[in-house]
Amino acid sequence: MPEGSGLSSSEGRRAPSVTGRVFSILEAFDGDHRALTLTEIARAAGLPVSTAHRLVGELTSWGALERGPDGAYRVGLRLWEVGSLAPRSVGLRERAMPFLEDLYEAVRQNVQLAVRDGHEIVYVERLAHPEAVRVYSRVGGRWPLHPTAVGQVLLAHAPPVVQESVLAERLPAFTPRTVTDPAALRRVLAGVRRDGVAVCDGMIDLAALSVAAPVRGEDDAVVAALSVVVPSPSEGGGIEPRTLVPAVRAAARGISRALGAPTALRSDAVPRADGGGR
């Protein structure tokens, strides 16, 4: 077998590149696994311990990982510094923060800002009140598009090819209320485009309800979604979503205006129902 072919003689297929191995190490860390031993990293990444040891050492020297007094590794500040330069998060967060803070002060509940990355949402900011309903989101965390209000907003305004691709997938259920039927989800998305807002009641947690609205950029395309998460009225003692819609829409429009969205800059702007898509 020619040298440098990248094929394993024992398996007859392309072996993971060094870059791929590094990515597999970084992917071992998530919200449930913030600190890992070398053995755990090697197991999660599917690498021999010796290979993991060498790569983890290099990542630690660069600052992508940090080793604590307990011997476990954690994501390092250097990696966070690089990630914070992502253009979709930096400018968006800076312009959005005043409106997120105002909305947070008004509702005293969880306030979230998310963008779409492929078939998932990524939370770029979250303000959480200590006495608010429990949420499973975190900054940098990912969720599927279909069970969250921000995800439904982003999916409703995504290109048709993205929508059809998501609708063709198996949609996992997180609670009995999660919309998993493609035809039903299609109707939900049409309603989001028509109403300019998404409401998800108990789709991830039966005790939580979220209301989201689209955030538009300088070309009026939807670039993010803003939501509040409150106790569900279905569980008793919750908050009716209609009381939250005006505040969520106003905050989303304020961010859109800060981003230079033409419709938001007009004093008579109203939420578009066409969604710029389907």
Side-chain angles (χ1 to χ4, degrees), residues 163-188:
Q163 295 182 28
E164 295 303 326
S165 179
V166 171
L167 289 166
E169 294 179 342
R170 184 186 71 84
L171 303 174
F174 297 91
T175 75
R177 296 184 197 158
T178 307
V179 177
T180 59
D181 177 66
L185 181 57
R186 195 183 297 276
R187 291 192 294 271
V188 168

Side-chain angles (χ1 to χ4, degrees), residues 80-114:
W80 178 84
E81 290 172 358
V82 173
S84 68
L85 298 175
R88 280 207 292 169
S89 67
V90 177
L92 175 62
R93 288 181 66 252
E94 290 176 349
R95 290 171 173 81
M97 278 306 296
F99 303 96
L100 298 178
E101 290 171 346
D102 286 348
L103 182 59
Y104 171 82
E105 290 298 328
V107 299
R108 308 297 288 180
Q109 295 287 337
N110 298 290
V111 176
Q112 305 179 136
L113 184 69

Side-chain angles (χ1 to χ4, degrees), residues 112-130:
Q112 305 179 136
L113 184 69
V115 298
R116 182 178 65 85
D117 184 21
H119 291 189
E120 298 176 311
I121 57 171
V122 178
Y123 292 97
V124 297
E125 188 55 82
R126 182 170 75 89
L127 303 179
H129 192 275

Side-chain angles (χ1 to χ4, degrees), residues 9 11 18 26 31 41 48 52 55 61 79 99 101 107 132 136 166 190 222 233 235 277:
S9 59
E11 298 178 2
V18 173
L26 296 178
I41 292 173
L55 295 176
S61 297
L79 196 62
F99 303 96
E101 290 171 346
V107 299
Y136 296 96
V166 171
V222 173
E235 297 298 302

Side-chain angles (χ1 to χ4, degrees), residues 150-235:
V150 285
Q152 289 182 4
V153 165
L154 294 168
L155 181 57
H157 297 286
V161 64
V162 174
Q163 295 182 28
E164 295 303 326
S165 179
V166 171
L167 289 166
E169 294 179 342
R170 184 186 71 84
L171 303 174
F174 297 91
T175 75
R177 296 184 197 158
T178 307
V179 177
T180 59
D181 177 66
L185 181 57
R186 195 183 297 276
R187 291 192 294 271
V188 168
L189 299 179
V192 172
R193 289 189 292 270
R194 179 190 66 240
D195 302 332
V197 66
V199 177
C200 286
D201 187 0
M203 291 196 187
I204 289 181
D205 186 328
L206 291 174
L209 175 145
S210 57
V211 177
V215 172
R216 298 181 183 276
E218 59 185 10
D219 60 355
D220 257 349
V222 173
V223 296
L226 165 72
S227 74
V228 295
V229 184
V230 301
S232 170
S234 302
E235 297 298 302

